[in-house]
Amino acid sequence: MQIGPRDTIVIACLVLFLGKYLNKKISFFRAYNIPEPVTGGVIFSIFFGMLYAATGIEVSFALELRDALLIIFFITIGLSSRLKTLLKGGKSLVLLLVLAVSYLFIQNLTGVGIAYLTDLPSVTGVLGGSVSFSGGHGTTIAWVPTFQNDFGISNAMEMGIACATIGLVLGGFIGGPIAKFLIKRYQLKPTEEKPVAVGVRHGKGDNVEMNYNNVLQMIYFIFSTAGLGIAINELLTWMGLSLPSFVTALFAGIIVTNLIPVFFKKFDWQPEKSKALAMASDLSLGLFLAMSLMSLQLWTLTDLAGPLLLIVVAQLVVISIFVIVVVFRVMGKDYDAAVMSAGYAGLALGATPTAIANMTAVTKKFGGSPKAFIVVPLVGAFFIDISNALIIKFLLGVFG
């Protein structure tokens, strides 16, 4: 059954309504900062999985709008990013990058270790390592032909997609609890009251002030910045450097928001305080994640072998320990470090949007962390993909 674009959006909205309702009614979800799209999206994907099991009907969605929503989201993050915040995040960016690259080796060695214990080929551990978890579905699909043709793993696609799918779900569930543990354990608070980068603080949504002018301004700047992002992407492609569209959208937003005060000094430009922009961020990210999670085809996981299930459990345990013991401490043991820890947990198991969703859920409850929303996406969206490809190639040469 193919669901068209209009109905896909309708169902995604229902996913968000359900997630918000359950998070409001069930204290566990709210207390442990489980993102609302994750709550609703997982339930809908389970429903569609049960429908397939009972009737054989395979529901698929039109996801063309999903990628556009991701671009809009990263534009809003870029537009909310002052240069002084970026400069403050410079050291943190380098530190988290070093930790993330180091963890790629740990993640792969964890997978290889489980593969060895269960008599699977060693390269299967790489597939159940940074290929599927840190890399996600896109990296998995890109590397599957190598595992099939060079190493004879005929079911590489099924194995990789299964790990990536489970990682995406688990990544959305563990970030919030980790952040809550760290914040409560060390009694952390934001150094100053800062606006949240996405949405509004819990309990303050009813008092959000928006009017015709600031909403119109928000729409104008989002779509104008999108044009700049497309131009940057085309220029980089012409130069031989290929980047995901949402990365150049983030860069475009950063450029626009920092140049406007320079060339238009009389223009009251305070995007970080714009409730309309915060709402646009919240909606675009929420709908993107709702579409991603509700469209998971869980029935493809039924053939997941026992050894691969062990790999998933091992990866979950290792990343949790690494984030709490290493990442949080190295990043400064402060509130920003706790938010970045939640984001990195989602990044290492799922994808950049999962990391953002984790940080959004935390900051809505405890307070803003602008630095986290710059550092984590830049590490996850750009640097890690390049490093991961080099490390995968190296390890396949070692274990292959």
Side-chain angles (χ1 to χ4, degrees):
M1 179 186 298
Q2 178 66 44
I3 306 296
R6 181 184 65 84
D7 291 331
T8 296
I9 288 290
V10 170
I11 295 174
C13 290
L14 292 176
V15 168
L16 288 183
F17 280 130
L18 178 62
K20 287 180 177 294
Y21 176 79
L22 292 177
N23 278 25
K24 183 178 180 179
K25 293 295 183 180
I26 301 176
S27 59
F28 173 84
F29 294 140
R30 187 172 60 256
Y32 288 94
N33 309 302
I34 306 301
E36 294 156 352
V38 174
T39 306
V42 170
I43 290 176
F44 265 69
S45 64
I46 291 173
F47 169 76
F48 290 125
M50 294 173 63
L51 178 65
Y52 175 81
T55 66
I57 297 176
E58 181 177 325
V59 179
S60 58
F61 297 91
L63 300 176
E64 296 84 359
L65 290 175
R66 185 183 63 174
D67 295 336
L69 288 167
L70 185 64
I71 290 173
I72 289 174
F73 169 72
F74 275 101
I75 286 173
T76 63
I77 294 299
L79 288 174
S80 303
S81 305
R82 296 289 193 176
L83 185 59
K84 60 182 180 181
T85 303
L86 295 176
L87 294 176
K88 287 181 181 179
K91 180 181 177 181
S92 298
L93 177 63
V94 174
L95 287 174
L96 187 60
L97 176 60
V98 171
L99 291 174
V101 172
S102 301
Y103 187 72
L104 292 176
F105 285 99
I106 297 173
Q107 194 168 54
N108 283 306
L109 291 176
T110 300
V112 170
I114 298 297
Y116 175 78
L117 292 175
T118 54
D119 294 325
L120 287 173
S122 297
V123 292
T124 303
V126 180
L127 180 63
S130 69
V131 172
S132 55
F133 288 101
S134 290
H137 292 84
T139 300
T140 299
I141 293 170
W143 280 94
V144 158
T146 300
F147 286 92
Q148 290 176 334
N149 300 330
D150 296 351
F151 302 104
I153 302 178
S154 58
N155 61 342
M157 178 66 79
E158 291 76 11
M159 294 164 62
I161 292 298
C163 287
T165 301
I166 294 176
L168 186 66
V169 175
L170 292 179
F173 274 107
I174 70 166
I178 286 176
K180 180 183 179 180
F181 167 76
L182 294 172
I183 290 170
K184 296 297 184 182
R185 170 77 179 273
Y186 296 97
Q187 299 181 342
L188 303 175
K189 294 181 180 179
T191 53
E192 58 183 279
E193 184 62 29
K194 301 173 183 177
V196 297
V198 182
V200 295
R201 290 285 301 275
H202 288 320
K204 299 182 179 181
D206 294 335
N207 300 319
V208 174
E209 296 180 0
M210 289 189 290
N211 55 47
Y212 180 91
N213 286 332
N214 57 38
V215 171
L216 182 62
Q217 184 185 91
M218 175 267 294
I219 294 173
Y220 171 78
F221 279 107
I222 284 177
F223 285 92
S224 298
T225 305
L228 177 60
I230 292 171
I232 293 173
N233 198 283
E234 291 177 348
L235 176 62
L236 292 176
T237 301
W238 178 77
M239 295 171 62
L241 178 61
S242 178
L243 289 179
S245 297
F246 66 86
V247 177
T248 52
L250 174 65
F251 288 157
I254 293 171
I255 292 171
V256 169
T257 204
N258 287 283
L259 288 184
I260 285 178
V262 175
F263 292 102
F264 303 94
K265 297 183 183 297
K266 294 184 178 180
F267 184 63
D268 185 20
W269 180 245
Q270 301 184 69
E272 69 276 7
K273 296 181 180 180
S274 170
K275 301 304 182 185
L277 194 65
M279 282 295 183
S281 295
D282 207 6
L283 281 172
S284 54
L285 177 64
L287 287 171
F288 172 86
L289 280 172
M291 289 175 156
S292 298
L293 290 169
M294 75 187 194
S295 61
L296 294 178
Q297 297 180 326
L298 296 181
W299 54 88
T300 63
L301 307 184
T302 55
D303 295 328
L304 182 64
L308 276 181
L309 185 59
L310 290 178
I311 289 178
V312 170
V313 173
Q315 297 289 9
L316 179 63
V317 171
V318 172
I319 186 58
S320 299
I321 295 173
F322 183 77
V323 167
I324 293 172
V325 175
V326 180
V327 174
F328 174 67
R329 295 175 183 276
V330 172
M331 299 310 294
K333 293 182 67 175
D334 57 8
Y335 176 73
D336 286 330
V339 177
M340 284 187 276
S341 295
Y344 181 69
L347 181 66
L349 283 181
T352 303
T354 308
I356 297 292
N358 286 348
M359 295 191 297
T360 298
V362 174
T363 55
K364 279 184 176 181
K365 181 175 182 179
F366 295 103
S369 176
K371 183 168 70 173
F373 279 83
I374 291 297
V375 172
V376 174
L378 284 178
V379 170
F382 178 51
F383 297 108
I384 280 300
D385 284 342
I386 297 174
S387 303
N388 198 17
L390 296 174
I391 290 172
I392 291 169
K393 187 174 182 179
F394 169 74
L395 291 178
L396 288 180
V398 172
F399 296 108

